[in-house]
Amino acid sequence: MTRLMTGEAKLQACRRAGVLALALLSPSVFAAPPAATVNVNASPSTGAFAGPSLQVLHWWTSAGERKAVGVLINKLAEQNIQWRDFAIPGGAGIGAGKVLKSMVLAGRAPEVTQLNGVIFGEWADLGLLLELDTVATQGNWQKLLFPTAWSLLNNHGHVVAAPLGIHRINNLYYNIAIFNRLGLRPPHSWDEFEQVVAKLKQAGITPLAQSSESWQVATLFETLVLAESGPAYYRELFVDLSPRAFADARLLHALKRLRNLKQAMQQPVRERPWTEVAHQLADGDAAMFIMGDWAKGDFNAWGLGADQQFGCIAVPGTADYHLYSIDTLAMFADDYSHQPAQEVLAQIAMSPSVQSDYNKFKGAIPVWRSPDIGKMDSCSLNSWKTFSKGAAFQAPSLVHRMATDETTKDAIVAELRRFFVDDQIPEAEVQRRLASIARALSRTGKVE
């Protein structure tokens, strides 16, 4: 069994301190979204269960994501454990994060929650997460997992989450029928991209599908930073929060490219869910789309195939790099009454069949170093090969919580969105503002 905290009084005191810390950190983010956006009865499983159940909070609500969730639900049901679905709509988990904090403050944390990135440590340091050391040891996780995934799960020597899959974010999708009709080739450089854009405009086709939603704008921008600089500078910027990196000319150039790319988008650029933007490409209303490979999961769910109806390549300038986000599940300890079922779910998440089937539907790749690559399409195989090259070729997503804390992420994302929607704001001004954010929120607190 997983190591337990000593003494009920100590356990409760730790939890009270954790909840107080949450309340002090950012009171404004704890209000849940309107009740109409919260789907607590979306579970595909409807049969009666005599055994235990687990409430699972997550934001996997699109067509491909629901298919992936179904894999977990069915595997859990085989163990006579019910998955009680608590799905919060909203890209990048913004709404789900608010609901989760609200539930914890109210003393009714879910047994399981989707968590991404460095926020694991914040929850674990509050003494709220179940440690999965025994499950990880018995399952030989350290040997099976990519080192990057293994490091992410560990907090002060304890495993605090179960991994599911690795997403590549720096993907450029293109509509094969449109490209074939116009005799276009997928662009591998920005010069080629601009040539393709010009020909698409001449044909009256929107070259690039895009939403003005904050996280989608920032996702595009972090991809442009990687294209401009490579992983080393990217990490200086978004992981180290180096003021020197924020003053670098490469950041200014990425901001200029973001603004220039608006000319390739449908005007005005409206705020839309990513699934609606993906449909624009799938329906032939736009020729290209830059987004994480969860979009591929939805394309597949809509009956479209890689290298058939859509193509998938790396964003120009990023072919050798992997901008990543890792899907994971964390378990809340509470009174440990759900621990046996929680550990079963953790074991299921790392099982070969789930790693294969979940990621096939989700569009991601397994967290295993040596998965069954025979079940991967060309997009997934390219993602796996690139990630396998190691940390020097990997960049942790800022937007999807892989790079830094929530406060810093939110501040940067808000500034980028403001710049994107207001063409009157000079690039140099935004660079100065981003540098100010870095100085104010740097982990060292020192200006270089």
Side-chain angles (χ1 to χ4, degrees), residues 144-395:
L144 292 173
L145 289 169
F146 280 111
T148 299
W150 174 249
S151 297
L152 179 68
L153 306 178
N154 280 267
N155 184 69
H156 303 303
H158 297 287
V159 177
V160 294
L164 285 166
I166 301 169
H167 282 293
R168 190 183 194 185
I169 296 172
N170 54 309
N171 302 299
L172 186 149
Y173 301 98
Y174 59 96
N175 185 300
I176 288 180
I178 293 175
F179 269 62
N180 287 346
R181 185 170 75 247
L182 298 178
L184 301 176
R185 299 175 62 182
H188 294 279
S189 70
W190 287 114
D191 286 342
E192 291 177 358
F193 182 89
E194 291 174 1
Q195 293 169 12
V196 168
V197 166
K199 293 179 180 179
L200 288 166
K201 283 185 173 181
Q202 290 174 0
I205 297 171
T206 299
L208 185 64
Q210 178 66 37
S211 167
S212 64
E213 189 176 16
S214 297
W215 75 267
Q216 295 189 61
V217 170
T219 295
L220 174 59
F221 179 73
E222 65 180 6
T223 302
L224 299 179
V225 170
L226 183 63
E228 182 68 24
S229 65
Y233 172 75
Y234 180 101
R235 287 176 178 271
E236 285 182 37
L237 200 65
F238 295 135
V239 178
D240 300 335
L241 298 178
S242 164
R244 183 166 48 238
F246 276 89
D248 195 288
R250 286 173 287 186
L251 178 59
L252 182 63
H253 197 272
L255 288 166
K256 289 180 178 179
R257 190 177 297 284
L258 176 63
R259 176 153 284 166
N260 290 338
L261 280 179
K262 288 185 69 175
Q263 306 308 311
M265 303 170 190
Q266 187 177 41
Q267 299 298 321
V269 183
R270 298 184 293 108
E271 183 169 325
R272 299 173 292 164
W274 71 266
T275 47
E276 186 177 326
V277 185
H279 262 297
Q280 193 177 356
L281 180 127
D283 296 341
D285 296 327
M288 295 181 288
F289 180 37
I290 294 174
M291 183 54 68
D293 51 19
W294 49 85
K296 179 171 70 77
D298 266 40
F299 291 150
N300 294 158
W302 300 337
L304 309 180
D307 303 322
Q308 299 175 40
Q309 288 78 24
F310 69 90
C312 173
I313 62 172
V315 170
T318 71
D320 292 330
Y321 311 136
H322 198 293
L323 180 59
Y324 69 88
S325 173
I326 300 178
D327 282 345
T328 45
L329 293 173
M331 325 290 181
F332 279 92
D334 195 31
D335 60 359
Y336 296 97
S337 61
H338 293 90
Q339 181 173 346
Q342 290 167 318
E343 291 184 336
V344 169
L345 179 56
Q347 293 167 352
I348 286 173
M350 273 291 287
S351 65
S353 61
V354 166
Q355 282 293 306
S356 176
D357 294 342
Y358 169 89
N359 287 295
K360 178 183 68 175
F361 290 127
K362 193 66 159 48
I365 60 171
V367 294
W368 284 27
R369 298 189 200 194
S370 302
D372 183 357
I373 61 175
K375 295 183 178 180
M376 295 183 183
D377 59 27
S378 61
C379 187
S380 293
L381 186 59
N382 191 24
S383 173
W384 179 77
K385 287 180 178 178
T386 306
F387 197 85
S388 297
K389 291 162 67 174
F393 300 90
Q394 299 166 1

Side-chain angles (χ1 to χ4, degrees), residues 418-437:
R418 195 176 72 89
F419 166 72
F420 183 80
V421 300
D422 187 350
D423 292 334
Q424 301 305 310
I425 301 176
E427 293 92 346
E429 179 183 335
V430 176
Q431 183 174 19
R432 287 193 298 270
R433 290 180 176 177
L434 291 173
S436 296
I437 291 171

Side-chain angles (χ1 to χ4, degrees), residues 28-237:
S28 63
V29 301
F30 295 139
T37 69
V38 179
N39 182 1
V40 292
N41 298 307
S43 173
S45 60
T46 57
F49 281 81
S53 67
L54 296 172
Q55 184 183 58
V56 186
L57 187 151
H58 62 89
W59 59 89
W60 296 314
T61 57
S62 74
E65 290 168 343
R66 292 309 301 173
K67 283 179 172 287
V69 168
V71 171
L72 295 170
I73 291 173
N74 293 333
K75 287 294 183 182
L76 204 58
E78 291 175 4
Q79 303 299 318
N80 199 33
I81 301 171
Q82 182 184 19
W83 172 297
R84 293 173 14 246
D85 210 63
F86 197 163
I88 311 297
I94 296 171
K98 294 178 180 180
V99 172
L100 176 61
K101 291 175 182 177
S102 180
M103 292 177 70
V104 173
L105 283 172
R108 50 184 183 87
E111 287 81 53
V112 184
T113 185
Q114 178 188 1
L115 281 181
N116 283 17
V118 299
I119 198 172
F120 289 144
E122 297 174 14
W123 286 105
D125 287 345
L126 296 175
L128 300 174
L129 298 187
L130 183 70
E131 292 169 358
L132 299 169
D133 300 342
T134 299
V135 178
T137 299
Q138 292 176 346
N140 206 17
W141 287 11
Q142 185 171 8
K143 181 178 179 180
L144 292 173
L145 289 169
F146 280 111
T148 299
W150 174 249
S151 297
L152 179 68
L153 306 178
N154 280 267
N155 184 69
H156 303 303
H158 297 287
V159 177
V160 294
L164 285 166
I166 301 169
H167 282 293
R168 190 183 194 185
I169 296 172
N170 54 309
N171 302 299
L172 186 149
Y173 301 98
Y174 59 96
N175 185 300
I176 288 180
I178 293 175
F179 269 62
N180 287 346
R181 185 170 75 247
L182 298 178
L184 301 176
R185 299 175 62 182
H188 294 279
S189 70
W190 287 114
D191 286 342
E192 291 177 358
F193 182 89
E194 291 174 1
Q195 293 169 12
V196 168
V197 166
K199 293 179 180 179
L200 288 166
K201 283 185 173 181
Q202 290 174 0
I205 297 171
T206 299
L208 185 64
Q210 178 66 37
S211 167
S212 64
E213 189 176 16
S214 297
W215 75 267
Q216 295 189 61
V217 170
T219 295
L220 174 59
F221 179 73
E222 65 180 6
T223 302
L224 299 179
V225 170
L226 183 63
E228 182 68 24
S229 65
Y233 172 75
Y234 180 101
R235 287 176 178 271
E236 285 182 37
L237 200 65

